[in-house]
Amino acid sequence: MKDSLAGFQVPPRHRPTLDAVATDSTEGSVAPRSGPAPRPTTDPRTAAQMSRQARKDTTPEMLLRRELHRRGLRYRIEYPLPGMRRRRADSAFTRAKVAVFVDGCFWHACPQHATSPANNGAWWAEKLRRNVERDRETDVHLQQWGWTVIRAWEHEDPCEVAERVAREVRN
């Protein structure tokens, strides 16, 4: 059988590129592909620093978790949200349907501490705006599923946040 395949070549696959175009089915016209703007070039030192940013188990999250645990509350961490792929609650109380998010002041545009990077300002402004928009979409989605959403800023006192969470979980 091996001899019968001699000389046979598999045709190359067609792989669409990022510059692929979408066809409008109503008019048959071709429109450029929409999507996020290309990432701007970044200073290598800045890129290295940003890649080391913690995405989970941050210090504010850990302080809150310790306080919740000290109060006898048990929770799930990095809990996948129902009906939302790729989104997770920092902590979740599944029986009480309470989702807790500890938002970083930079990444979620804190009204008190938000900053705007000087380099690539337009790109960052759009990225941070979209983060806040995604937060609101998540809140609405979870509320529609019967969940209570508690959002805390990283600068908030973990004991005060834990008190808010405990009241909600125990109600």
Side-chain angles (χ1 to χ4, degrees):
M1 177 149 187
K2 192 174 185 181
D3 294 333
S4 65
L5 295 177
F8 178 76
Q9 290 186 351
V10 177
R13 292 184 187 184
H14 171 69
R15 291 194 175 111
T17 64
L18 291 178
D19 299 324
V21 293
T23 304
D24 184 348
S25 60
T26 57
E27 299 178 9
S29 62
V30 176
R33 179 182 181 273
S34 64
R39 184 173 293 226
T41 56
T42 305
D43 173 56
R45 289 183 318 173
T46 303
Q49 181 180 356
M50 296 303 278
S51 70
R52 288 190 303 267
Q53 279 299 121
R55 294 175 187 241
K56 60 182 181 177
D57 300 333
T58 62
T59 301
E61 284 178 35
M62 297 302 292
L63 292 172
L64 176 59
R65 283 194 225 154
R66 285 186 190 118
E67 184 60 28
L68 292 169
H69 195 274
R70 190 186 70 73
R71 293 171 185 241
L73 297 171
R74 302 301 180 257
Y75 46 83
R76 309 258 182 210
I77 57 174
E78 287 296 308
Y79 185 75
L81 301 179
M84 300 191 92
R85 294 182 55 203
R86 299 186 63 199
R87 294 193 199 175
R88 297 175 172 271
D90 296 331
S91 301
F93 299 84
T94 55
R95 287 189 183 138
K97 287 190 163 185
V98 174
V100 180
F101 298 89
V102 180
D103 294 337
C105 291
F106 173 76
W107 295 105
H108 298 271
C110 168
Q112 292 178 331
H113 303 109
T115 58
S116 298
N119 291 339
N120 305 316
W123 185 86
W124 277 107
E126 176 59 22
K127 175 162 183 59
L128 298 176
R129 183 200 63 76
R130 181 64 185 119
N131 286 354
V132 172
E133 185 179 298
R134 191 176 307 113
D135 291 344
R136 299 299 79 81
E137 289 169 2
T138 301
D139 295 351
V140 168
H141 178 80
L142 286 174
Q143 289 165 353
Q144 290 172 344
W145 279 67
W147 284 69
T148 300
V149 177
I150 297 177
R151 288 201 176 265
W153 292 108
E154 68 179 339
H155 64 265
E156 287 185 72
D157 178 23
C159 294
E160 291 176 10
V161 176
E163 183 59 36
R164 284 185 1 225
V165 173
R167 270 195 312 263
E168 197 60 49
V169 169
R170 291 185 173 134
N171 282 342

